[in-house]
Structure formats: structure tokens, C-alpha cells
Amino acid sequence: MAQKPAIPKGTRDFSPSEMSRRNYIFNTIREVFSLFGFKCIETPSMENLSTLMGKYGEEGDKLLFKILNSGDWVSALNDVDLESHSLGALTSKVSEKGLRYDLTVPFARFVVQHRNEIQFPFKRYQIQPVWRADRPQKGRYREFYQCDADVVGSDSLYNEVELLQMIDMVFSRLRINIVIKLNNRKVLAGIAEILGVPDQIVDITVAIDKIDKIGMEGVVAELKEKNIPAEAIEKLKPILAIDGTIAERLTTLRELLANSEIGCKGLDELEFIVNQTNRLGLTAKLELDVSLARGLNYYTGAIIEVKAADVAIGSISGGGRYDNLTGVFGMPGVSGVGISFGADRIYDVLNALNLYPDATEEGTEVLFLNLGDAEATCSLKIIKQLRDAGVSAEIYPDGAKMKKQMTYANDTKVRYVAIVGSSEMETRSVTVKDMSTGDQEGVSFDNVVNYFTQK
Amino acid sequence: MAQKPAIPKGTRDFSPSEMSRRNYIFNTIREVFSLFGFKCIETPSMENLSTLMGKYGEEGDKLLFKILNSGDWVSALNDVDLESHSLGALTSKVSEKGLRYDLTVPFARFVVQHRNEIQFPFKRYQIQPVWRADRPQKGRYREFYQCDADVVGSDSLYNEVELLQMIDMVFSRLRINIVIKLNNRKVLAGIAEILGVPDQIVDITVAIDKIDKIGMEGVVAELKEKNIPAEAIEKLKPILAIDGTIAERLTTLRELLANSEIGCKGLDELEFIVNQTNRLGLTAKLELDVSLARGLNYYTGAIIEVKAADVAIGSISGGGRYDNLTGVFGMPGVSGVGISFGADRIYDVLNALNLYPDATEEGTEVLFLNLGDAEATCSLKIIKQLRDAGVSAEIYPDGAKMKKQMTYANDTKVRYVAIVGSSEMETRSVTVKDMSTGDQEGVSFDNVVNYFTQK
């Protein structure tokens, strides 16, 4: 009995037309990364579990796909009372490798491992799949691509400016209208300081990060629950209610955070980045949002988040500065800043708004119909010349009915159909049909290559 | 105590210069696939183990990387006496997914699963990594890329002709001299028939496939061991000793296999493919090799193998026709033919012969030195114009010493260094240094974009 084929839930096959659209996204991102001087690296799909575990929190550890040790993994359990051990302890006995969960931790591992071969500042980009054993749902997959660009080994804020320009160029090219939200971890630290609860910065930012979802009331309730004093909560309200242009917000925050050194530092950084970026001109709308936190424990300076202006789909890009990513691998004091593009969400946005250029899914330039062996033999010579000249061309391999061959031409979206029948062989000319207009014309054998290369 | 970072054995990190070289190979292959009208698809890294198991022989099953079921995998073993079950039975309790082992089985699964959306003949290519838990050794990795192109749903021998042309174009473009060896499974069946042992075709081909390694004597010994009658072995010797041009070999084989219908059919196919291919012209050397078998149980017609002429490294590409790949997934009678390029071996060949074009590892086009905030601010405006015009450009982010910045320029292989210092700001011109010649010249701000776009 034959198997009914299927793929694991949360994973996807990509057809030729889907791949054309995806490659349009990847190529756009890759080109922009290169224009900005970022270099491509790749790391293995598998990392040692010791590299991955503990880097994404307890929940993240559970979401790692773990690879069963090769060979006789059972013998590691032979003298073990399964019930007296934790799941984690037993897992570590039968698995020592996992699939990468993101591109950031493998990159930190890469930097430390190759520190002596790397020229700092190191501007790298990486476009590879990652895997998470999350519950699959609409827009969330167990295998998906991340497109990351980071600069490590440079404290300069010009990096932040360039990353914002890069975000702007990627989405301009993709014709997606975006809003870029900006914050700074030092401003958040300043706020916690001003409220008199510097040690509770995590509780505060986790709560205010949700203001879009749960509103001011919800945030206040959560802060009370975390035992933030009522007085501090009162002080926080005007900060969250800040309004106006970026310049106006900065002015208000300067007043509110005047007594916090770290807060002022954060505002200086924000101001530099905003001014430089505006001076260079940005297509995107830039916003300052003090409630923006994103993986707080990780970022130490700028925090960046990008949303599509015309589709409600969550963030489609984001990033920030981190000062100690490589510390856990024994290389402290290396500052980095980076952004990540969510290719799968960008794909959903482009699909929703139908923003692909017309040529994205175009097929082969010329399909030669197959009208018999003599004709095919003749056509193959011309096809070879076309390919040598860089024109994609193919022959319908079988001597099938004309209708079937034309259906193939239509379905695979070829631009031109070329016919070499007996009369064409006599006159040494090809009948070329433009599939978009239906127009036909004769082109002499000697002129076919010119005809297509000069289109 | 910080971890000392490492990656799993048999896997690799790829640095920017390695990625440049690898992408040169992938892009060359991808361009040729497109020129021939093949379309890109991708399949998930993970497949259900039911899709993968039993497709690569018993040894292959062991070499599959299996993924531990998420969540509480231990409970599936709770009431099981570990010692009374086979490793395979226990593995199937704790793992239901595996990493893909090649691109062929997932492709067959794809064709069957999407049969109603696919336009046949379906010409697909796929460039993705595969994983095998093989013992790592020189040139053999646990994660490596395959680059496959297949046509399914067409019996036409023009497909074989086109695949040979495609192989020829890929290696011509890569400037690797190759020998293409050709055989046909039907010829092997004909030989077994003529020898009077049609049922022992597998034993015979497995043995004669090794003739390059163990010589005629070794083959004879192995055939004896497999109980092939002495008379049959005697008949085989002249077949293996066949010499001369392809035409001469075909003539000899026509005589030897005259009484085998299937053998003659195989020779007809070979002759058609060779004649058509030669007529179109091939840069590669084409050879007919009746000892060539490759995964015999799989191929039913043409068998193709490619070796580098100037480096001893095994086959760097290969393929053939298979008539029932999708049968195991419930879709019988679909003929296919395909080839696979071994990107990692090709990479080793190019490295060994140093055949990369000079531009392969070129870095950013222009690096602007950072001589202070005013100068950087001025430079960023020019850099934006350059990028908008498609010229890759970057600024050294930090105000570091000139020597350090020039070292970065050298090590990252930038083509030009641009200097905007105080005197350049006064004269509104950039000093441009060509890093390959050392020549310097001044270019006015207004002319910088033209200067680089017209290079």
C-alpha cells in the first residue's frame, strides 16, 4: 500500500511561483545589504546544544528542535530510572545537537570562534532558515527564514544611522510603506531611575511594552501586581502619555529625565540618530516610542521596530544595540548592533497588497514547440545559440499535440513561443508569438539571437 | 565559566570570502538551470520519517538525522522494556521527523503531493542542504549542498540531451575541464541477458562498477563469489575490454548484444543521445562506459557521471533516468530524468585549481574613511547618492587612526578608498584612491556618482 505523502505540520513546500516571489524578497534584501558593505556568512543548521541551551529563556529551550544522537542512543538510558530523572536531564543523555533557533546566537558563537580571522568592525549578513517547535498557526511556522545584518566591534552611532537607512531602502524597493519605531534602552533605564525603582526596569518595560494591547489601565494594573509603588506609577503616566513630533517628545523627555544621567545619555543617542537620519532623508515615517522594549535583556542602546503601515501584521523588521552578546562565549566587551528582516511576514504583506513587480513570476523567455524530430533537431541548434547569448530558452520535450504544448506555455508563463515547422525550415525563419499580446512575426534564423537579445 | 565555542563535527562555518566563492558556484549553476527553463522549488528541511525511511537502504536509514519529538518524549518509553525492543522500534517511538538525506525523495514526495497543481512536464531545480550522519572525513560533511535539476513527466530523450548540454555549460562557465561518462541501464540489462543471468543484473553491475578500483581480476573474483557461472564471466570479459571511440564501442556492442531486445533498445537510446549532443557541440569529453552503474536500482535508462579531468576527486556531477520514482508514494508510471551537481566537491576542485575569477572576492566598491564628525556627516550624503545609484559604499564607522582604517580597507578588499578631509570639504572634492594601483585622484562632489557608475 503506497504512502499518502505529507510534510510535518508547520513546514511548507514552495512551488516555482512562490519561490519567484520569495527570491524577489531575498534578492532585494541581499542587494541592499551588499550596497551597505555587509558581507555574507553561513553557519551550520545544527549547533551543539551547549551553544543553544539557556540563551532563549526556559520557554526557548523547550522550543529547540533536538537531534537524536546517531547510533545506539538507547544504551545511554540503559541503567537509568526514567521516572527519577527530569525531562531535561534525559534529553541531554540522548541528544547533543539542536537546530538553530535564530541567527544571533550562532553569529555570536561564530565571532568568538573566529575572532582571530575576523577584521573588526565586522559587518556581516546572514540569510538562513531557523527552526522553532512552536505551535503552528497562521503566519507562524516551524521552519522560517531570518535575514540578519549586524555590525560588531564598533560603538559608533553611525551604524544605527546606516541600519535605519538600510531598512528604509529595503522597504522602499519592496514598495511597502512602513513606520519605524525607535527607542533606547538607556531611556528605559532612566525612566526606572526617575521612578525610584531602578531595579525593576524589567517589570516596568515588560508592562509598558504592552500598552498598545492592554491600554494605560492594563499597564497600571500590571505594575501594581508587580508591587511598583503607586507614586512611581503616577510619575510614569505622563511619560507614557507623551505626544507630538519627535522633537517635541525629546524636549519633554529631556525635562522628565533631567536628573538621570543614563536617561540623558539615551536621549543624546536618540537625538543624534534621528538628526543624522533625517538629514539624509528617509522615505519611512520615523517615530519615537518610549514604550518600545523588544527583548529587553539583550539590548543595551538603540531599539528599533518596523511595522507595515497598510497591513496589520505585527513587526516585519526589528533590532537594536547589544553590548555583550559574545560574553557568554568568553569574549566580553564586544559591542554590536543589528537588524533582522522577517522574510515570511514580508512575504505575507506583499501577497496581501499584491506588490510584486509584473516580471516576478515570468517564466522562460522562449519556448520552442516540438513539431517532430527534424524540426526539434533544427530548433535545438537555435536554442543553443540563444542560451549562449544569455536568453533562457527551452524546447517542449515531447511531440505532443499543439494544444497541450500551448497549455504548457501558458501555465509556465513563457514570454514567447517559437515555432519551427516545415515551412519555417524551408524559409529558414522562426515564427515568434508574443504570449502577452498574441502578435506573431517571422524572424530569420540568422537574426533570432539579435531579435531576443535586443528586446 | 564561559563556554569554549565549537560546532558539531562534520559541519562548517563559511566566512565572507568562502561564501563569495560558494555563491559564485551556486549562482553559476542557478543561471544555467534558468537558461534551460528549469524552475526553482524548495522543500522543508524536515520530512516525516515515514517519507524517508526505507528509501536509501538499511545503511541510509541509519544515516538519517532524526529529530526528537517535542515535549515529553520520555513518556512514550515509560511502559517499554528498553532491552526487549530493537533500536529501530524505540527510535520510532521518540522520533517522527528526520532531516532530508537528499533532494530526490523529497522531490518525489512533492510531485505526488502537488500533482494537481503541477504542469507536466515539470522541470524543477532545487539547491538546498542535505544531512547525513556519515563519519566525517576529508571532503565528506554531515551537512552539504546538493544542486539538482530534474524533468518529470516526459519520456523524450531530448531531456537527456539537454541535461548533457547543461552539464557542459555549467562546467565551461566554471572553467573546469570534465569528462562525461555515459551508460544506459538497459545496456546493463542486455549484458546480463546475454550472459544468461538476467536475474543477477545487480550482482554483475555492482561488481563491474568497481573495475576502475579493483581491476578485471578483482571483478572476476567478486563475480565468482556471487556464483556467476564461469561461462558467463568469460563472456563478460570482452564486453569490459571494449575500446575505441564511442562509435566503435557502439558498433562492437551492437554485435555483442544483437540478441537482446532490451540491450538494443539501450544502444538506440545511447546513440540518439550521443549523436544529438555531438551535433550541438560539447566542450566536455564524452565517453561511453559500460561499467558505469551508479545507484542502479533507481535508474532505468541513461546513466550519467561527470569527473574533473584535472583533479582526482571522484564524481562531481551525475544523474540518469528513473521510471518509477513516485511509485512508492502512490503515483506510478511517471518517468523522470535528472542530474545533481555536488557543490562541495566542485568547491574543492575550484580551490585546488584556483579557478575563481578575479572579481569573486571583491569587497565593497568604495570605503569612505572617517576623519571626524563633520567629515563623516558630509561623506554620508555622498554615500547615500552612490548607493541610490547602485554603487556599494560604506563609511568606517569609528573615528579610528588612519592606519587602522586602511588595514580594514585592505583586509575587506574594498576597491577604492575615498577621503573627505577638511581640505576636500573646502574644495568640495573627494580624494579617491584605487587600492589595486595605489593611484589617487580628486573627484568633485558633483561628479562622484558619475565617476563610479561609469567605471
Side-chain angles (χ1 to χ4, degrees):
Chain A
M1 173 64 190
Q3 300 171 304
K4 195 178 164 191
I7 51 177
K9 62 180 178 186
T11 69
R12 291 163 291 169
D13 281 329
F14 295 109
S15 70
S17 84
E18 288 167 325
M19 281 309 298
S20 303
R21 284 180 267 142
R22 290 174 69 80
N23 282 332
Y24 164 66
I25 298 169
F26 291 128
N27 291 339
T28 302
I29 293 174
R30 200 176 284 121
E31 273 169 30
V32 174
F33 285 170
S34 292
L35 279 177
F36 278 75
F38 286 79
K39 309 286 188 305
C40 182
I41 71 159
E42 283 188 10
T43 63
S45 301
M46 304 172 184
E47 294 275 352
N48 292 323
L49 279 179
S50 56
T51 299
L52 300 176
M53 297 285 281
K55 309 302 189 297
Y56 308 105
E58 213 174 302
E59 195 52 34
D61 284 353
K62 285 185 198 153
L63 299 183
L64 289 170
F65 277 111
K66 293 160 194 95
I67 292 163
L68 198 58
N69 290 341
S70 299
D72 182 12
W73 59 271
V74 178
S75 64
L77 300 177
N78 272 347
D79 297 323
V80 175
D81 175 14
L82 296 186
E83 284 171 37
S84 70
H85 284 73
S86 72
L87 183 61
L90 291 170
T91 301
S92 69
K93 284 184 188 296
V94 303
S95 169
E96 57 186 28
K97 291 186 286 288
L99 295 178
R100 85 181 144 241
Y101 180 89
D102 71 359
L103 301 178
T104 308
V105 168
F107 175 53
R109 193 266 311 141
F110 180 99
V111 168
V112 177
Q113 195 173 328
H114 303 282
R115 59 208 291 178
N116 296 324
E117 305 136 47
I118 290 174
Q119 175 60 45
F120 294 98
F122 183 40
K123 296 170 73 170
R124 89 84 170 79
Y125 77 84
Q126 195 169 350
I127 299 179
Q128 292 194 276
V130 302
W131 295 268
R132 296 182 186 177
D134 245 327
R135 185 185 298 273
Q137 52 178 256
K138 192 176 175 332
R140 192 201 280 165
Y141 306 102
R142 291 187 152 185
E143 174 175 46
F144 59 97
Y145 270 77
Q146 290 192 335
C147 312
D148 284 19
D150 292 80
V151 187
V152 291
S154 165
D155 294 325
S156 166
L157 294 173
Y158 287 119
N159 296 306
E160 277 85 339
V161 174
E162 295 231 297
L163 291 176
L164 291 177
Q165 286 188 279
M166 200 152 81
I167 289 170
D168 197 47
M169 191 184 266
V170 164
F171 290 110
S172 295
R173 290 189 170 202
L174 294 174
R175 302 191 287 179
I176 297 177
N177 297 318
I178 55 161
V179 176
I180 305 178
K181 293 185 176 195
L182 212 58
N183 195 12
N184 192 298
R185 159 72 193 253
K186 296 188 180 84
V187 170
L188 291 168
I191 291 172
E193 206 172 273
I194 293 299
L195 302 188
V197 288
D199 295 345
Q200 285 180 281
I201 175 171
V202 174
D203 290 334
I204 288 178
T205 49
V206 165
I208 66 178
D209 199 25
K210 298 180 190 161
I211 195 162
D212 283 351
K213 284 181 194 155
I214 60 177
M216 182 73 87
E217 268 178 59
V219 172
V220 168
E222 181 161 330
L223 290 173
K224 276 185 186 157
E225 213 175 281
K226 295 284 181 184
N227 297 317
I228 307 284
E231 197 194 4
I233 296 176
E234 278 312 303
K235 276 193 192 167
L236 184 60
K237 284 183 180 175
I239 297 176
L240 293 182
I242 276 177
D243 213 342
T245 64
I246 295 184
E248 288 163 357
R249 287 175 196 227
L250 281 172
T251 305
T252 312
L253 285 167
R254 288 254 178 231
E255 286 161 22
L256 292 166
L257 301 183
N259 291 324
S260 163
E261 195 184 329
I262 192 165
C264 290
K265 179 81 168 52
L267 292 171
D268 290 344
E269 292 184 10
L270 272 173
E271 194 163 357
F272 179 87
I273 294 166
V274 167
N275 287 346
Q276 285 281 353
T277 307
N278 281 336
R279 207 180 50 83
L280 292 166
L282 215 57
T283 306
K285 187 163 185 290
L286 197 61
E287 286 181 0
L288 195 158
D289 180 354
V290 290
S291 75
L292 180 67
R294 294 177 68 90
L296 168 92
N297 295 315
Y298 182 104
Y299 293 125
T300 52
I303 304 173
I304 302 165
E305 185 168 84
V306 180
K307 298 206 167 192
D310 306 321
V311 184
I313 198 168
S315 78
I316 53 178
S317 176
R321 180 171 286 276
Y322 40 85
D323 274 336
N324 196 21
L325 197 66
T326 55
V328 66
F329 297 116
M331 190 177 168
V334 180
S335 188
V337 58
I339 53 165
S340 181
F341 291 86
D344 288 278
R345 281 205 179 153
I346 293 172
Y347 180 68
D348 290 343
V349 171
L350 289 176
N351 285 341
L353 301 175
N354 195 18
L355 289 179
Y356 296 99
D358 289 340
T360 307
E361 287 186 55
E362 243 164 38
T364 307
E365 185 83 2
V366 204
L367 172 78
F368 281 71
L369 299 186
N370 187 333
L371 304 176
D373 268 343
E375 292 85 349
T377 299
C378 176
S379 298
L380 282 176
K381 278 245 174 201
I382 301 170
I383 289 173
K384 180 170 193 317
Q385 292 166 13
L386 285 171
R387 289 171 180 157
D388 286 343
V391 178
S392 64
E394 56 179 313
I395 188 163
Y396 192 90
D398 306 272
K401 288 203 177 116
M402 187 77 123
K403 193 181 164 205
K404 193 173 176 192
Q405 298 193 34
M406 288 304 289
T407 302
Y408 174 86
N410 266 314
D411 289 357
T412 63
K413 304 194 174 81
V414 303
R415 291 192 58 188
Y416 299 93
V417 162
I419 300 160
V420 178
S422 51
S423 66
E424 280 88 357
M425 284 178 73
E426 256 170 49
T427 57
R428 293 186 53 79
S429 71
V430 182
T431 300
V432 177
K433 177 174 180 167
D434 184 326
M435 294 296 282
S436 57
T437 63
D439 295 346
Q440 280 193 201
E441 63 180 311
V443 182
S444 80
F445 284 2
D446 295 335
N447 197 34
V448 173
V449 170
N450 278 337
Y451 180 85
F452 284 107
T453 52
Q454 283 161 20
K455 280 264 169 204
Chain B
M1 173 66 191
Q3 300 171 304
K4 197 178 162 190
I7 50 178
K9 61 180 178 185
T11 70
R12 292 163 290 170
D13 281 329
F14 295 110
S15 70
S17 83
E18 288 166 328
M19 280 309 299
S20 304
R21 283 180 267 141
R22 289 174 69 80
N23 282 332
Y24 164 67
I25 297 168
F26 291 129
N27 291 338
T28 301
I29 293 173
R30 199 176 284 120
E31 274 170 29
V32 173
F33 285 170
S34 292
L35 278 177
F36 279 74
F38 287 78
K39 308 287 189 303
C40 182
I41 70 160
E42 283 188 9
T43 62
S45 301
M46 304 171 185
E47 294 275 352
N48 292 324
L49 279 179
S50 56
T51 299
L52 301 176
M53 295 287 281
K55 308 302 188 298
Y56 308 105
E58 212 175 302
E59 196 52 33
D61 284 353
K62 286 186 197 153
L63 299 184
L64 290 170
F65 277 110
K66 294 160 193 96
I67 292 163
L68 198 58
N69 290 341
S70 299
D72 182 13
W73 58 271
V74 179
S75 64
L77 298 178
N78 272 347
D79 296 325
V80 175
D81 174 13
L82 296 185
E83 283 170 39
S84 70
H85 285 73
S86 72
L87 183 61
L90 292 171
T91 300
S92 69
K93 285 183 189 295
V94 302
S95 169
E96 56 187 29
K97 290 187 287 288
L99 294 179
R100 86 182 143 241
Y101 182 87
D102 70 1
L103 302 179
T104 307
V105 168
F107 175 53
R109 193 265 312 142
F110 179 100
V111 168
V112 177
Q113 195 174 328
H114 303 282
R115 59 210 288 177
N116 295 324
E117 307 135 45
I118 291 173
Q119 176 60 46
F120 293 99
F122 184 39
K123 297 170 73 170
R124 89 84 170 77
Y125 77 83
Q126 195 170 350
I127 299 180
Q128 291 193 277
V130 301
W131 295 268
R132 296 183 186 176
D134 244 326
R135 185 185 298 273
Q137 50 178 256
K138 193 178 174 331
R140 192 201 280 164
Y141 306 103
R142 291 186 152 187
E143 173 176 46
F144 58 97
Y145 270 80
Q146 290 191 335
C147 311
D148 283 20
D150 292 80
V151 188
V152 292
S154 166
D155 294 326
S156 166
L157 294 173
Y158 286 120
N159 295 308
E160 277 85 340
V161 174
E162 295 231 296
L163 291 177
L164 292 178
Q165 286 187 280
M166 199 151 83
I167 289 170
D168 198 47
M169 191 185 265
V170 164
F171 290 109
S172 294
R173 289 188 171 204
L174 293 175
R175 301 190 287 179
I176 297 177
N177 296 318
I178 54 161
V179 177
I180 305 178
K181 292 186 176 196
L182 212 58
N183 196 12
N184 192 299
R185 159 73 192 252
K186 298 187 178 85
V187 170
L188 291 167
I191 291 172
E193 205 173 273
I194 293 298
L195 302 188
V197 288
D199 297 343
Q200 285 179 281
I201 174 171
V202 174
D203 289 336
I204 288 177
T205 50
V206 165
I208 66 178
D209 198 24
K210 299 180 191 160
I211 195 163
D212 283 350
K213 284 182 195 156
I214 61 178
M216 182 72 88
E217 268 179 58
V219 172
V220 169
E222 181 161 331
L223 291 172
K224 276 186 186 155
E225 214 173 280
K226 296 283 180 184
N227 296 318
I228 308 285
E231 198 192 3
I233 296 176
E234 278 312 304
K235 276 193 192 167
L236 183 60
K237 284 183 180 172
I239 297 176
L240 295 182
I242 276 176
D243 214 341
T245 64
I246 294 184
E248 288 163 357
R249 287 174 195 226
L250 281 171
T251 307
T252 312
L253 285 166
R254 287 256 177 232
E255 287 161 20
L256 292 166
L257 301 182
N259 291 325
S260 163
E261 195 182 327
I262 191 165
C264 289
K265 179 82 167 52
L267 292 172
D268 289 346
E269 292 184 8
L270 271 173
E271 194 162 357
F272 179 88
I273 295 166
V274 167
N275 287 347
Q276 285 281 354
T277 306
N278 281 337
R279 207 180 51 80
L280 293 166
L282 215 57
T283 306
K285 187 162 187 288
L286 197 61
E287 286 181 0
L288 194 158
D289 181 355
V290 290
S291 74
L292 180 67
R294 293 177 68 90
L296 167 92
N297 295 316
Y298 182 106
Y299 293 125
T300 52
I303 304 173
I304 301 165
E305 184 168 85
V306 179
K307 298 205 165 191
D310 306 321
V311 185
I313 199 169
S315 77
I316 53 178
S317 175
R321 182 171 283 277
Y322 42 85
D323 275 335
N324 196 20
L325 197 66
T326 55
V328 67
F329 298 115
M331 189 178 170
V334 180
S335 188
V337 59
I339 51 164
S340 181
F341 291 86
D344 289 277
R345 281 206 179 152
I346 293 171
Y347 180 67
D348 289 343
V349 172
L350 288 177
N351 284 342
L353 301 175
N354 195 19
L355 289 178
Y356 297 99
D358 289 341
T360 307
E361 288 186 55
E362 243 164 38
T364 307
E365 186 82 2
V366 204
L367 171 78
F368 281 70
L369 300 187
N370 187 333
L371 304 175
D373 268 342
E375 292 86 348
T377 299
C378 175
S379 298
L380 282 175
K381 278 245 176 202
I382 302 170
I383 289 173
K384 180 170 192 319
Q385 293 167 12
L386 285 170
R387 288 171 181 157
D388 286 344
V391 178
S392 64
E394 57 179 311
I395 188 163
Y396 192 91
D398 305 272
K401 288 204 176 115
M402 186 77 123
K403 194 182 165 206
K404 194 173 176 192
Q405 299 193 34
M406 288 302 292
T407 303
Y408 175 86
N410 266 314
D411 289 356
T412 63
K413 302 194 175 82
V414 304
R415 290 191 60 190
Y416 299 93
V417 163
I419 299 160
V420 178
S422 52
S423 66
E424 281 87 357
M425 285 178 73
E426 255 170 50
T427 58
R428 292 186 53 79
S429 71
V430 181
T431 301
V432 176
K433 178 174 180 168
D434 184 325
M435 293 297 281
S436 57
T437 63
D439 295 346
Q440 280 192 199
E441 62 180 315
V443 182
S444 80
F445 283 2
D446 295 335
N447 197 36
V448 172
V449 170
N450 278 337
Y451 180 84
F452 284 108
T453 53
Q454 283 162 18
K455 279 268 168 203

